[in-house]
Amino acid sequence: MPRQTPILLATKLLPISSSLRPPAVLAAARASYHHAPATDAHHLLDETPRRRAGAIVRALAALSSAGDSNVVASLHCASLKSGAVLDPPVRTSLLTAYARAHDAGAAQALFGEAVAPDMIMWNAAISALTLNRRYDNAAALFRRMARELGEFDSTTVVVMLSGASRAGKLRDGMALHCMATKRCLDADHLNLWNALVDMYAKCGDFYSSEAVFQSMPCRDTTSWNSVISGSIFNGLAEVSAWYFKEMARSIFQPDEVSLSSVLSVCSRPDDLFSFGESVHAFAAKLGYEDTASCSVMNSLMTLYSEFGMPETAKKVFASTLNRNVVSWNAMIKGLVQNERVSEALTVLWEMRLESQPDVATLVTVISGCGDQGLVSEGKAVHGYIIRKGHLHEEPSVGNSLLDLYLKCDEPSTASLLFRTMPRRDLISWNTMISGYSRNDSLRKEAQSMFKWLLSEGLHCSLTTMLAVIPSCSSPEELSFGKSLHSFSLKCGLASEVLAVNALMHMYISCAEPLAAILLIQKIISVSDIVSWNTIIAGCTQNGLYKVALEAFHFMHSSLAINPDSITLVSILSACGKLNLQSLGKSIHCMILKQFLASNLRVKNALLDMYFRYGDTRSAELVFYSMGDKNLCSWNCMISGFTQNNKGWRALQFYQKMEDYVPNEISIVGIICACTQLGNYKQGKSIHGHVVRSGLQNNVFISASLVDMYCKCGRLDIAVRVFEASAEKSIAGWNSMISAFGFHGHGLKSIELFWKMIDSGTNATSSTFIALLSACSHSGLIDEGWKYYCIMSESFGIILTPEHHVCIVDMLGRAGRLQEAHKFVESLPSQQAHGVWGALLNACSSNSELKMGESVAKHLLHLEPENSSYYVTISNLYAYREMWSGAVQVRNILQDKGLVKPHGHSIVG
C-alpha cells in the first residue's frame, strides 16, 4: 500500500468541523488574530490570503513546541482549505512544526510535495531529520541538496553539525568544518562557530573543541555555555569550573544555562562543593533567586542534596518563587537520597496542590519506600497512581511498584500486580525474576518466571540472565544453573564479563569451584577484579586455599589488575588457614605500600591471620596501629586471644569495650574465655548481662553458657539454661550431651540424644563425638560400640579419626588395650594416623610398657619431630620407675632440639 501524503492524512483523519476544536489550536488562533473571538479553525477562511498565511505561520510557531502532531495536522487542514499551504513560509512552518512534534515522516512527505523548494525549505527538511535523530537520512538529503540546488549556507552547516553532534559522527563533523572553512562560511557566522565547539565536545574531542573556542573571532554567551557544557560532557569538572570563572571575568554575564551547568558538575567531586557555594552566592548577586525561571534553584537543590544537606536544599526550595515539576522532583529526590522518605511523601502530597506529579516523581518516591521497607506508604502511593491512571502511561511506574513489593517481602502482591499490569516490558519481567532470586524461599518461582518469559517469546537480555542466575545457589539447583549456562552461550553471552562473573559465582555457590576456574580461563583477556575476587573468595570458602593463592599470584603478576579489599581479605584468610607466615607478612607489606591498610575489613583480616599464626603480639600491634576500629575489630581480639589460650587477655579487651555494645559474637567469645579459665564468677556475670540484654534465646550464646557451666562444675545450672532455651540448636544439644558425659552421666547423654532425634534435629559428626565421649567417661562400652556402628549405617555420618579416637579412649579407660590395639590396626592407614597417639596415651594411663614401646616406635617412625610422643613414653618409663629409660628419652628430645609444649593451668 503506497504511503499517504500528509495532505491526504490530514484531510481524511482530521476534517475541519465544528466538533473538532483542539484547545491549543483555538488558543493559538486567538493569539494570532489580535485577540479577536475565535471558536473554530474555519475562521481562518474568513481572512485575506496574506493575513491567512501570516496567521497560520504565527499559530504554527506558537504550537510547534507542544509536541502534538494532531494539533499540527489540524492547522495543516486549515491551511489546505484556505489555500495558504502553497505559500512557502506556511509550508516551511508546517514542516518545522511536524519535526518538533516528532513526526519526521510527515515532514519528509511534505517536503517531497514541494515543486521547487528554496534553501530555507531544504534547511527545514534537514533540520526535521536531525531533530528526530535520523542523521543518515539528513546526510543523504544534504548531499542531494548540494547536487540539485548547487549551494548551501551556514545555516545548513549548523543544522548538519547539530545532527553530527547528536549522532557522535566526529569524522562527518570534521568534514563539515573543512567545507565551511573552504567556502568561508565561518567568517562572521557566530552560530557556526558555536556549533563547531559543541560538535567537537559532544563527539569526545574536547581538545579540538577548545581549539575552536580559542580561535573564535568573537564570542557570545552561547559560546561560553558550549565550552562549559562540553567540558562537563567529557567529565572535566575542574575545567568547566575554570571556564565559568573566565566567563564571569569577561564581558558576558553568566545566564541560567551557565549557572545550572556548573552547579550540576559541582555536585559530583567533593573538592568542588565550596566552589558550588560560591556560585550560589554569585547567582544570588545576579538576582536569580528572585527570577521567574527556576532552573538555577533546581540545580542548587540537587547540589545540596547530593552533599547530604537536605535542610539547605529545603531552604532553597522554599525561596523558589515559580516552582515547576522539576523543582518538586529535585526536592523529593533529594529527601529520598538522604533517607528522609517520610518527608518526601509529605512534599509529594503538597505538590498535588500546585502541579501534578509526573512519572519521575512517582518512581522516585516508590523507590524510596522500597529501600526503607515502608510498604503501607508505598500502598498509599499505589492507590493514588490507580486513581490518576498512571499505570497506563509508562511501565516504569508499575515496575517500581513491583520492586517495592518484592523488597518489602510481599511477593504475592507483586505477582498480582504483574499479572494485571496494563503495560509491562522486559524490565517488568526482570524485576520479578530478580526479586524472586533474592528471596531464598522463592528461587523456584524465579526459575518458573524465567521459563514463562521464554514461552512468551520475549527476547532475553543480559539483565535477565543476571537476574535469574542467582536463583541457583545450592548443589540442588546446579542442574538448572547448568542449563542457564548453556542458554547464555546460545544467546552469545559467553564473552560478557558480567554474565561470566555471575555464572562463576553460581558454580561456587553450588560447590563446583573447578567449573568456575574453567570459566575464568576463557575470559582472562577481559576479566576484571570482580572476576578474580569471585574465584579467590570462592576457593577460600570451599577450602581450596592453595588454588586461591595461585589465582591471586597470577592476577597480581600476569595481569594489570590491582587487588582490592575483597581480594586481600580472602587471601589473608587463606594464608592464615595454611599457616603461611612468611607469605602473610609479605602481603601485609604490600597492603602498607598500596595504602590499603586504612580499610577496616583488611585490618580485621590481618588480626584474624596473625591470631591463626599464634602471633598475638603482631595482632596487638596491628590493632593499636588502627586509626578506626569497629565492633568486629574488638571481637577479633577477644576470640583471637581465646583461641590462643589467653583467656585473661580476652577478658581485658572485653572490659575495655567502653564505646561499643557487645553483640552475640563478643559474648560467645568471652564466655569461651571464662570456660577456658574456669572463671565461674565472671561467667555468671556475663550471663547476667545476657539476660538484661535479652540475648538469652540466642542459640549460640545458650550453647556456650551450657558448656561454660558444665566445665565449671555447675551441671545443674547448665541443665536449667538448656531447658529454658526457646530454640535449641544442634550446638546446644551437642553441648548438653557432652556435659552429661563429662560428669559421668552417660545414660542421660544417650537419653538426651534420642530426645534430640525425636525433636526433628539431625545429628552431626560432632553429636556422635560427644555421645561416644560420654560412653567413654561412663564406662558404657557396649553402648559406645553400638553407636559407633549405627552412626554411619542409620544416620549417614562419615567416620572420622575423632570418632576412632573416642573408641580407643573408651577401650583404654576400660583396660582393654589388646582390643584397642586390634581396632587401630584394622583401620585404613590414612584414618589410623592420628589414632595411634590415642593408643599411646591409653598405654601410658595403664602403664602398659611393652605395647607402649611398640606404639611409640611406630609413631616416631611416622612423626620423628613430634615432641609429645617423646614426653608420653618418657612419662611411661618414669611411672614404671625405669629412670634410665626416661632420662634417655629426654636426652633424645633435647638433642633433636625439640621443645616440650608448655603446660597450661586455670589456677594462677
Side-chain angles (χ1 to χ4, degrees):
M1 179 179 174
R3 175 179 169 82
Q4 291 180 303
T5 65
I7 294 175
L8 289 173
L9 284 173
T11 53
K12 286 183 178 180
L13 298 179
L14 292 166
I16 298 296
S17 68
S18 59
S19 63
L20 183 68
R21 296 172 180 168
V25 174
L26 299 179
R30 289 191 186 97
S32 301
Y33 305 148
H34 311 292
H35 305 289
T39 57
D40 197 48
H42 279 301
H43 286 275
L44 293 172
L45 303 178
D46 300 332
E47 304 292 336
T48 63
R50 185 184 294 272
R51 289 193 65 190
R52 281 200 299 268
I56 291 171
V57 169
R58 288 192 296 273
L60 285 167
L63 296 172
S64 59
S65 60
D68 191 337
S69 183
N70 291 336
V71 175
V72 179
S74 297
L75 282 171
H76 191 171
C77 291
S79 63
L80 285 170
K81 287 278 187 179
S82 66
V85 74
L86 298 175
D87 197 340
V90 174
R91 190 182 292 270
T92 303
S93 297
L94 277 169
L95 195 154
T96 303
Y98 274 124
R100 291 181 179 173
H102 300 291
D103 192 350
Q108 210 169 2
L110 186 63
F111 175 77
E113 293 170 357
V115 179
D118 57 9
M119 188 178 294
I120 296 173
M121 195 160 192
W122 279 98
N123 289 345
I126 294 170
S127 178
L129 293 169
T130 58
L131 195 64
N132 285 274
R133 299 186 179 279
R134 292 171 59 175
Y135 176 75
D136 291 337
N137 298 95
L141 192 61
F142 173 67
R143 289 191 291 270
R144 181 181 154 199
M145 174 186 182
R147 286 195 310 271
E148 294 181 10
L149 194 64
E151 61 176 333
F152 56 87
D153 61 4
S154 57
T155 303
T156 320
V157 179
V158 169
V159 169
M160 284 301 298
L161 284 171
S162 69
S165 173
R166 288 192 184 97
K169 301 279 188 179
L170 178 61
R171 291 176 63 87
D172 289 7
M174 294 172 71
L176 288 165
H177 189 179
C178 292
M179 283 191 290
T181 303
K182 186 177 180 180
R183 296 194 177 207
C184 300
L185 297 176
D186 58 347
D188 296 309
H189 201 289
L190 191 56
N191 289 342
L192 179 56
W193 284 97
N194 293 341
L196 284 169
V197 171
D198 182 70
M199 182 276 298
Y200 279 117
K202 297 290 172 59
C203 290
D205 186 1
F206 187 69
Y207 177 81
S208 297
S209 178
E210 278 193 303
V212 172
F213 179 78
Q214 297 296 340
S215 62
M216 289 175 71
C218 60
R219 297 177 186 139
D220 61 4
T221 303
T222 304
S223 313
W224 287 99
N225 288 347
S226 296
V227 76
I228 290 170
S229 62
S231 57
I232 294 170
F233 182 86
N234 285 273
L236 303 171
E238 290 79 5
V239 174
S240 66
W242 184 84
Y243 273 113
F244 180 84
K245 293 175 186 176
E246 291 297 305
M247 180 183 185
R249 294 191 188 102
S250 70
I251 60 172
F252 298 101
Q253 184 173 284
D255 62 2
E256 294 172 51
V257 176
S258 325
L259 292 163
S260 299
S261 297
V262 80
L263 283 170
S264 70
V265 80
C266 289
S267 63
R268 297 173 198 170
D270 292 347
D271 54 350
L272 281 182
F273 175 68
S274 57
F275 178 69
E277 289 184 306
S278 65
V279 174
H280 184 180
F282 187 66
K285 184 179 178 181
L286 293 176
Y288 280 102
E289 285 190 333
D290 302 321
T291 185
S293 176
C294 53
S295 62
V296 175
M297 307 304 283
N298 296 345
S299 297
L300 282 169
M301 281 187 275
T302 302
L303 169 71
Y304 290 118
S305 297
E306 288 285 343
F307 280 92
M309 300 172 66
E311 291 300 327
T312 308
K314 286 168 73 174
K315 289 178 182 177
V316 173
F317 179 72
S319 66
T320 305
L321 296 177
N322 188 27
R323 293 189 286 237
N324 58 12
V325 175
V326 179
S327 313
W328 289 96
N329 287 353
M331 190 66 254
I332 290 170
K333 183 180 179 182
L335 290 169
V336 170
Q337 282 177 332
N338 286 276
E339 299 182 353
R340 296 168 73 163
V341 180
S342 297
E343 292 181 49
L345 286 164
T346 303
V347 175
L348 171 66
W349 305 134
E350 291 174 0
M351 176 184 181
R352 294 178 304 159
L353 303 174
E354 290 190 20
S355 56
Q356 288 300 312
D358 62 4
V359 170
T361 323
L362 298 169
V363 168
T364 300
V365 170
I366 296 166
S367 174
C369 291
D371 290 338
Q372 293 202 347
L374 302 175
V375 66
S376 299
E377 291 81 350
K379 286 181 176 179
V381 179
H382 189 176
Y384 172 79
I385 288 168
I386 292 172
R387 289 195 302 274
K388 293 295 182 180
H390 287 299
L391 281 175
H392 294 270
E393 292 180 11
E394 283 191 35
S396 57
V397 177
N399 295 342
S400 61
L401 284 168
L402 291 176
D403 189 55
L404 161 76
Y405 290 124
L406 289 166
K407 284 180 178 177
C408 294
D409 199 24
E410 290 207 12
S412 57
T413 310
S415 177
L416 178 62
L417 174 62
F418 177 79
R419 293 170 188 274
T420 57
M421 278 172 65
R423 296 186 65 185
R424 63 189 185 200
D425 54 13
L426 186 58
I427 297 173
S428 314
W429 289 88
N430 293 346
T431 302
M432 290 296 294
I433 294 170
S434 177
Y436 283 155
S437 294
R438 290 195 303 265
N439 192 321
D440 291 343
S441 61
L442 295 173
R443 288 173 183 157
K444 292 293 182 185
E445 281 76 2
Q447 296 167 11
S448 299
M449 180 70 74
F450 178 72
K451 294 174 186 176
W452 182 16
L453 180 148
L454 296 180
S455 68
E456 293 282 317
L458 296 173
H459 177 67
C460 178
S461 67
L462 172 62
T463 307
T464 315
M465 295 304 299
L466 296 177
V468 73
I469 289 172
S471 69
C472 305
S473 58
S474 66
E476 295 78 23
E477 294 153 345
L478 179 60
S479 177
F480 189 78
K482 287 182 176 179
S483 67
L484 289 177
H485 187 180
S486 301
F487 187 78
S488 67
L489 293 172
K490 183 180 177 181
C491 293
L493 300 174
S495 58
E496 288 284 349
V497 177
L498 292 175
V500 176
N501 290 349
L503 286 168
M504 288 192 297
H505 189 270
M506 180 271 294
Y507 278 118
I508 286 167
S509 300
C510 295
E512 290 282 345
L514 296 180
I517 293 169
L518 290 174
L519 272 177
I520 200 170
Q521 290 174 353
K522 296 178 181 179
I523 61 157
I524 283 178
S525 59
V526 293
S527 60
D528 56 14
I529 188 62
V530 177
S531 313
W532 290 98
N533 283 349
T534 303
I535 291 294
I536 292 168
C539 288
T540 303
Q541 291 162 11
N542 283 274
L544 301 174
Y545 306 119
K546 290 184 179 179
V547 179
L549 289 169
E550 288 171 5
F552 171 74
H553 176 72
F554 179 82
M555 180 199 84
H556 189 58
S557 60
S558 303
L559 303 174
I561 299 176
N562 290 320
D564 62 6
S565 61
I566 298 172
T567 325
L568 295 168
V569 167
S570 299
I571 286 302
L572 291 171
S573 175
C575 291
K577 294 285 176 60
L578 294 173
N579 199 29
L580 300 174
Q581 298 189 35
S582 178
L583 179 60
K585 288 179 179 179
S586 66
I587 291 173
H588 189 176
C589 292
M590 183 188 73
I591 290 168
L592 294 170
K593 287 180 181 178
Q594 295 186 1
F595 303 104
L596 291 170
S598 59
N599 185 282
L600 259 178
R601 292 185 64 192
V602 174
K603 291 176 182 177
N604 294 337
L606 283 168
L607 293 177
D608 181 67
M609 180 188 73
Y610 281 118
F611 276 123
R612 286 185 182 276
Y613 294 158
D615 189 354
T616 58
R617 183 174 176 275
S618 294
E620 280 199 74
L621 287 173
V622 171
F623 180 80
Y624 285 116
S625 67
M626 294 167 70
D628 295 322
K629 301 177 181 70
N630 60 6
L631 184 57
C632 180
S633 313
W634 289 94
N635 289 346
C636 283
M637 298 304 288
I638 292 168
S639 60
F641 279 119
T642 304
Q643 290 161 12
N644 284 275
N645 292 321
K646 292 186 177 182
W648 60 277
R649 289 291 286 144
L651 279 169
Q652 287 178 338
F653 271 86
Y654 176 76
Q655 290 160 358
K656 291 178 182 177
M657 289 176 63
E658 296 175 356
D659 298 331
Y660 295 93
V661 177
N663 63 359
E664 294 88 341
I665 298 172
S666 324
I667 292 169
V668 168
I670 205 62
I671 291 172
C672 290
C674 293
T675 305
Q676 187 184 102
L677 296 169
N679 194 332
Y680 170 72
K681 184 179 179 181
Q682 182 68 45
K684 194 174 180 181
S685 172
I686 299 297
H687 190 180
H689 171 76
V690 166
V691 173
R692 289 192 299 273
S693 303
L695 298 171
Q696 64 271 24
N697 290 327
N698 182 280
V699 292
F700 299 105
I701 291 177
S702 61
S704 59
L705 282 170
V706 167
D707 188 55
M708 186 269 292
Y709 281 120
C710 164
K711 290 179 179 174
C712 288
R714 294 305 303 266
L715 181 61
D716 55 333
I717 302 179
V719 172
R720 289 207 302 268
V721 170
F722 175 74
E723 290 178 346
S725 301
E727 180 186 353
K728 295 176 175 61
S729 66
I730 185 62
W733 287 103
N734 291 350
S735 295
M736 203 63 240
I737 291 169
S738 178
F740 279 128
F742 188 74
H743 284 263
H745 302 298
L747 291 175
K748 286 189 177 181
S749 292
I750 293 171
E751 182 185 343
L752 192 63
F753 168 77
W754 287 112
K755 190 176 179 181
M756 180 193 82
I757 298 300
D758 292 340
S759 73
T761 305
N762 294 322
T764 64
S765 177
S766 298
T767 310
F768 279 95
I769 291 173
L771 187 60
L772 293 173
S773 178
C775 293
S776 174
H777 280 83
S778 303
L780 302 173
I781 310 301
D782 293 338
E783 287 81 356
W785 273 118
K786 171 188 172 182
Y787 290 106
Y788 177 81
C789 293
I790 69 170
M791 61 183 289
S792 58
E793 297 170 5
S794 303
F795 295 92
I797 303 296
I798 298 173
L799 293 167
T800 65
E802 286 82 1
H803 299 116
H804 306 321
V805 166
C806 289
I807 293 296
V808 172
D809 182 63
M810 180 182 70
L811 294 171
R813 286 174 183 271
R816 296 159 66 167
L817 291 177
Q818 293 299 328
E819 193 176 343
H821 191 270
K822 287 180 181 178
F823 170 75
V824 176
E825 286 185 326
S826 69
L827 294 172
S829 57
Q830 67 271 20
Q831 291 197 13
H833 185 70
V835 186
W836 284 102
L839 183 58
L840 179 61
N841 286 330
C843 292
S844 177
S845 299
N846 287 271
S847 302
E848 179 57 51
L849 182 61
K850 186 176 180 180
M851 185 186 292
E853 287 180 325
S854 173
V855 172
K857 184 177 181 181
H858 176 73
L859 283 168
L860 291 173
H861 175 72
L862 293 174
E863 295 181 80
E865 304 300 317
N866 193 322
S867 61
S868 63
Y869 299 149
Y870 291 97
V871 173
T872 303
I873 193 65
S874 174
N875 291 340
L876 179 57
Y877 281 131
Y879 187 83
R880 295 291 295 268
E881 296 184 355
M882 298 174 66
W883 306 112
S884 61
V887 171
Q888 186 179 0
V889 173
R890 294 280 179 164
N891 289 336
I892 294 171
L893 185 70
Q894 190 173 1
D895 293 341
K896 285 181 171 287
L898 302 176
V899 180
K900 174 184 175 292
H902 295 295
H904 174 72
S905 173
I906 64 172
V907 180

